[in-house]
């Protein structure tokens, strides 16, 4: 069809949809981009392009696409909802609050918009308004569980033990809900209650066997228990289910480091960078792997990239200063050998 009509935006859009189903996200991005270029006034094409950029961590591009789509279709609240998700991913909580307010103006009972409104207010540290938003939402939404989970997460800051108990009670009330089981397991992993966490995750996997987040958490437990081969298998499967999940690459890379397979770890971190290049975390872990292999030059380079992506992160700055000094010392020691 494209040979006959190479300038058909519709065909490029369909081809992008196919690549999305195949999980070839970068190809999908290219095809959605061509569709949008051929028909720039089509909000559907802009929405598809925005979503794939969001999935690949290109949040600023995604936001710009949704802003254009909202101008073309101003009564559609979904563009503001999606825009808010990208603002939150960038920690632009004030802009997130403003964008989601636009969505709620158009659709006051929009469940996802209400949830994002609460998340944005938590990010601004306006906890009272966040609680009021959650409580009001629970009276109008069909599924209050996401709001229960967010409220538990909010309470966890001041009362971790109470939050864990509340989450256990919620899991008892909704034993078939993978989201509840997975959040409970994450809390239990942090508390080093690995057997309880694994039990909940295994049951979660029996409910939804295609949930990559469940596999990531199980892989982490395997790694902590020292079952590194099983961890690699689970995390590899998680990446197959969703190749854009950076957490899976990070956990897999750490597993390879635990196995003293530094080259495999570095390769895994580079795959994460190739998939989502604007997340500083794979650069930080790649730097640690390069440092472990005494490749201080690349360790420094990776941290410099991370610092560019997250310039206000003082932890990255401190690590960079340390590796720069280490690299300098190493160069001075190596200089006489090269003569």
């Amino acid at each position: 069809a494209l040979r006959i009509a190479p300038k058909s935006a519709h065909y490029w859009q369909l081809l992008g949809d196919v690549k999305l189903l195949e999980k070839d996200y970068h190809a999908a991005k290219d095809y959605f981009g061509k569709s949008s270029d051929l028909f720039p006034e089509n909000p559907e094409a802009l929405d598809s392009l925005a979503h794939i950029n969001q999935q690949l961590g290109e949040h600023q591009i995604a936001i710009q696409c949704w802003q254009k789509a909202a101008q073309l279709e101003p009564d559609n609240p979904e563009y503001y909802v999606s825009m808010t998700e990208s603002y939150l991913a960038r920690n632009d909580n004030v802009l997130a609050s403003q964008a989601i307010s636009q969505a709620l103006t158009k659709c006051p009972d929009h469940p996802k918009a209400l949830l994002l409104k609460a998340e944005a207010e938590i990010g601004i540290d306006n906890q009272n308004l966040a609680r009021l938003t959650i409580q009001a939402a629970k009276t109008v939404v069909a599924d209050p569980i996401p709001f229960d989970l967010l409220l538990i997460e909010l309470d966890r800051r001041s009362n971790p033990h109470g939050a864990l108990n509340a989450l256990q009670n919620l899991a008892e009330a909704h034993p078939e809900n993978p989201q509840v089981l997975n959040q409970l397991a994450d809390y239990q992993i942090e508390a080093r209650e690995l057997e309880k966490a694994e039990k909940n995750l295994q049951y979660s996997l029996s409910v939804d066997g295609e949930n990559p987040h469940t596999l990531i958490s199980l892989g982490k437990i395997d790694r902590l228990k020292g079952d590194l081969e099983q961890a690699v298998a689970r995390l590899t499967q998680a990446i197959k289910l969703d190749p854009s999940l950076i957490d899976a690459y990070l956990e897999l890379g750490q597993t390879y480091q635990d196995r003293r397979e530094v080259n495999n770890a570095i390769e895994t971190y580079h795959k994460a960078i190739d998939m989502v290049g604007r997340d500083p975390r794979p650069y930080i872990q790649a730097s640690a792997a390069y440092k472990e292999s005494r490749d201080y030059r690349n360790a420094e380079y990776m941290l410099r990239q991370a610092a560019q992506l997250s310039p206000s992160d003082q932890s990255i700055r401190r690590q960079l200063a340390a590796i720069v000094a280490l690299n300098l010392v190493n160069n001075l020691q190596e200089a006489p050998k090269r003569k």
Side-chain angles (χ1 to χ4, degrees), residues 59 65 151 155 199 224 311 327:
H59 293 289
C65 290
L151 187 59
D155 290 337
K199 181 179 178 181
L224 292 171
N327 196 15

Side-chain angles (χ1 to χ4, degrees), residues 273-294:
I273 291 166
D274 290 341
M275 181 57 67
V276 182
R278 300 199 64 81
D279 190 318
R281 293 176 298 164
Y283 291 97
I284 295 169
Q285 288 196 208
S287 175
Y290 277 121
K291 181 182 175 183
E292 187 177 331
S293 63
R294 299 182 181 277

Side-chain angles (χ1 to χ4, degrees), residues 67-138:
Q67 288 172 336
K68 291 177 184 177
Q71 290 173 355
L72 295 168
E73 201 174 2
D75 292 331
N76 190 337
E78 300 302 329
Y79 302 135
Y80 292 98
V81 170
S82 298
M83 205 184 302
T84 300
E85 290 179 308
S86 278
Y87 279 130
L88 288 172
R90 289 164 52 94
N91 292 318
D92 290 337
N93 297 303
V94 173
L95 292 176
S97 179
Q98 293 170 357
I100 207 60
S101 294
Q102 291 284 336
L104 289 168
T105 298
K106 303 172 192 307
C107 186
D109 294 341
H110 193 299
K112 191 171 185 179
L114 289 166
L115 188 68
L116 292 172
K117 175 65 174 176
E119 289 182 12
E121 296 305 330
I122 291 171
I124 298 171
D125 203 23
N126 194 343
Q127 295 189 18
N128 289 335
L129 182 54
R131 290 180 188 278
L132 289 173
T133 301
I134 292 169
Q135 290 164 0
K138 288 176 65 176

Side-chain angles (χ1 to χ4, degrees), residues 253-254 256-263 265-266 269 285-296 299 323 326:
Q254 186 59 60
Y256 280 131
Q257 284 185 258
D258 289 356
R259 290 175 64 163
R260 299 294 184 264
E261 298 176 11
V262 180
N263 289 337
I266 290 171
Y269 297 138
Q285 288 196 208
S287 175
Y290 277 121
K291 181 182 175 183
E292 187 177 331
S293 63
R294 299 182 181 277
D295 185 348
Y296 302 121
I323 200 66
L326 189 58

